[in-house]
């Protein structure tokens, strides 16, 4: 019984991946193919375009027998840590005969030759590369110049320029370092380049497919993925994917602003920290910030990875703990075919690595550090699923810049975990309402003598008090935010309560349509159905805010 493994992301799974699995079986004669797949965050420093559950289902339909998750610390690391994490996991499973990877090079002996050279002269190469960088060369160019001078075969330099070759060489280095008996084989990459954004017939790169998905197109996808996947992609499209990098822009900004010392984050040097703050603007999206930070010495992927580490709070300390386990402190099975169930039994008997399930401890004991790393990964996994929730819609629709300011000023993220958008909905909205109201106060209010005598939070709490007599009772019928927050939402409700009767009926009708998801109340389409523009709403609500504020300030303090 032979078992082959493929290290992958399947972001998303397409015809090229199906071809790789088929060729792996043909070359190795393997009875089973195991896919070691990244979870919800991938090596280029982005969230996966679709979650690991959908990608697991696609992998199984596309020919894999068993899918195992590559732990977070390896999955979103640079090539060496990514490779050692994946290969060490395979090595520890104890059942893998072959490791198959895609390559632009057809000669695996060339790749082995390069891998051996890089291990043997690692210190000299790094020293020589740094010397060349001091002359103004970028890291990739400096390394190329050094290797061109010291490699016996100059043609090997061209091999090192191709992305799949680079990763394949890292796999080979990891196998050598672990003294693993796993046999490496390479499958020649067909069709377009790994990074190509051009759609080609039948087999296109994952990069080009993500590009069309992010442009809200799905039709071009179907000729480029196995037919067995059409139904699941169609079922989940615009419901569960595409997940885009810019969806996490707000969380990234909040994490940057609230981190006490960015240089404690994995990959962040003091120079990179300075670069971030030099280029950072509150209205920049995730991708725009990457582009702003890019220099000759900083590649897109390196910047994106570093920013992802900031967003997820992946510190140097946590990565060092993961490295004590070769970047794979445990493993989790994501899915398998019934015909491969025997393989799980073999793994349980032969593996030297603890197995977890749903990112929770199973029967295998974990060390204190392993459990800490597991809990950390579980919390970051939850962010992926929950950040594109009603809360992110609420925040991004109206209050993004103000909310960021609030996070910065209050240092909220130092007090709460980054999953707070899920766990602290009411807290967030209440604070958001406070900021929104305070930032919307009329100049007459700000100059009012009584306003100067009361602190902001006291003023706000009096203003939004549901039992406050200053509020007209008729607002109760239109308080669409009653179950969420009594802040700015109450003022909006007041505004709506003054609509003409016919508009009120229309409003109630729309309200019922959107009742399933309260986040829709904050979306422009909701207001446009009422024939009201967002700026008109804000103008009307701010007028009501002034009126109510003056009522409150008539009191003595």
């Amino acid at each position: 019984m032979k078992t082959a493994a493929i290290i992958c992301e399947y972001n998303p799974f397409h015809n090229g991946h199906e071809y790789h699995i088929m060729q792996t079986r043909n070359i190795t004669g393997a009875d089973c193919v195991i896919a070691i797949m990244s979870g919800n965050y991938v090596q280029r420093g982005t969230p996966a375009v679709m979650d690991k559950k959908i990608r697991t289902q696609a992998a199984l339909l596309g020919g894999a027998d068993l899918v195992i998750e590559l732990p977070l610390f390896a999955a979103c690391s640079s090539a060496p840590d990514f490779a050692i994490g994946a290969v060490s996991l395979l090595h520890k499973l104890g059942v893998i005969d072959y490791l198959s990877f895609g390559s632009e090079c057809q000669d695996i002996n060339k790749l082995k030759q390069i891998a051996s050279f890089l291990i043997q002269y690692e210190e000299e190469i790094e020293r020589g590369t740094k010397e060349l960088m001091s002359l103004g060369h970028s890291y990739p160019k400096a390394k190329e110049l050094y290797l061109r001078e010291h490699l016996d075969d100059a043609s090997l330099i061209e091999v090192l320029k191709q992305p799949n070759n680079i990763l394949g060489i890292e796999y080979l280095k990891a196998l050598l370092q672990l003294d693993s008996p796993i046999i490496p084989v390479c499958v020649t990459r067909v069709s377009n380049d790994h990074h190509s954004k051009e759609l080609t017939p039948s087999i296109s790169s994952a990069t080009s497919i993500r590009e069309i998905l992010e442009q809200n197109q799905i039709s071009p996808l179907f000729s480029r993925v196995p037919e067995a996947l059409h139904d699941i992609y169609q079922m989940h499209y615009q419901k569960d994917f595409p997940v885009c990098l810019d969806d996490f822009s707000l969380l990234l900004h909040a994490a940057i602003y609230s981190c006490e010392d960015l240089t404690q984050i994995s990959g962040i040097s003091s120079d990179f920290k300075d670069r971030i703050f030099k280029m950072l603007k509150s209205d920049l999206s995730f991708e725009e910030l990457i582009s702003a930070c890019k220099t000759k010495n900083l590649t897109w992927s390196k910047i994106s990875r570093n920013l992802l580490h900031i967003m997820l709070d992946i510190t140097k300390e946590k990565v060092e703990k993961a490295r004590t386990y070769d970047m794979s402190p445990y493993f989790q099975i994501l899915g398998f075919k019934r015909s491969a169930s025997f393989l799980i039994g073999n793994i349980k008997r032969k593996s030297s690595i603890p197995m977890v399930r749903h990112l929770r401890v199973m029967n295998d004991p974990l060390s204190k550090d392993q459990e800490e790393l597991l809990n950390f990964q579980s919390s970051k996994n939850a962010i992926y699923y929950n950040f594109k929730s009603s809360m992110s819609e609420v925040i991004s629709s109206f209050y993004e810049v103000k909310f960021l300011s609030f996070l910065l000023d209050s240092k909220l993220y130092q007090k709460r975990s980054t999953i707070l958008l899920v766990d602290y909905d009411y807290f967030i909205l209440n604070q958001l309402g406070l900021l929104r109201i305070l930032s919307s106060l009329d100049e007459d209010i700000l100059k009012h003598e009584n306003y100067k005598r009361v602190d902001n939070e006291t003023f706000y709490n009096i203003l939004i008090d549901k039992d406050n007599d200053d509020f007209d009772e008729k607002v109760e019928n239109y308080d669409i935010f009653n179950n969420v927050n009594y802040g700015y939402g109450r003022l909006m409700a007041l505004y709506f309560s003054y609509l003409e009767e016919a508009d009120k009926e229309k409003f109630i009708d729309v309200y019922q349509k959107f009742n399933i998801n309260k986040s829709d109340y904050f979306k422009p389409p909701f207001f446009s159905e009422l024939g009201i523009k967002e700026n008109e709403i804000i103008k009307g609500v701010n007028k009501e805010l002034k009126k109510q504020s003056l009522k409150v300030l008539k009191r003595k303090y």
Side-chain angles (χ1 to χ4, degrees), residues 4-5 20 24 27-28 98-102 108 172 183-187:
H20 184 193
T24 296
I27 294 170
T28 65
Y98 300 95
L99 168 58
S100 171
F101 56 88
I108 196 166
L172 294 173
I183 300 168
V185 297
C186 66
V187 174

Side-chain angles (χ1 to χ4, degrees), residues 110-129:
K110 277 190 176 182
L111 300 179
K112 287 180 177 180
Q113 182 183 345
I114 294 171
S116 297
F117 178 86
L118 293 177
I119 289 176
Q120 185 176 353
Y121 298 103
E122 182 178 7
E123 291 183 7
E124 292 91 332
I125 292 169
E126 282 305 305
R127 193 162 49 244
T129 300

Side-chain angles (χ1 to χ4, degrees), residues 529-543:
E529 290 207 25
L530 294 173
I532 300 172
K533 294 180 180 177
E534 181 183 331
N535 62 343
E536 291 176 355
I537 296 170
I538 293 174
K539 184 179 177 181
V541 173
N542 286 347
K543 183 178 178 181

Side-chain angles (χ1 to χ4, degrees), residues 250-260 262 310-313 407 413 418:
L250 178 61
L251 188 55
L252 171 65
H253 278 259
I256 291 172
Y257 284 136
S258 63
C259 184
E260 290 186 358
L262 285 180
I310 294 171
M311 189 187 89
L312 298 178
D313 191 31
L407 287 174
Y413 268 72
T418 49

Side-chain angles (χ1 to χ4, degrees), residues 43 78-80 82-83 101 162-172:
Q43 202 256 338
S78 59
F82 178 93
F101 56 88
Q162 300 297 325
N164 285 280
N165 290 344
I166 292 170
L167 206 49
I169 289 166
E170 291 297 338
Y171 296 152
L172 294 173

Side-chain angles (χ1 to χ4, degrees), residues 59 181 424:
Y424 300 101

Side-chain angles (χ1 to χ4, degrees), residues 510-518 520-521:
V510 177
Y511 166 71
Q512 294 298 334
K513 289 178 183 176
F514 284 92
N515 199 33
I516 296 173
N517 185 354
K518 287 186 168 55
D520 288 310
Y521 303 141

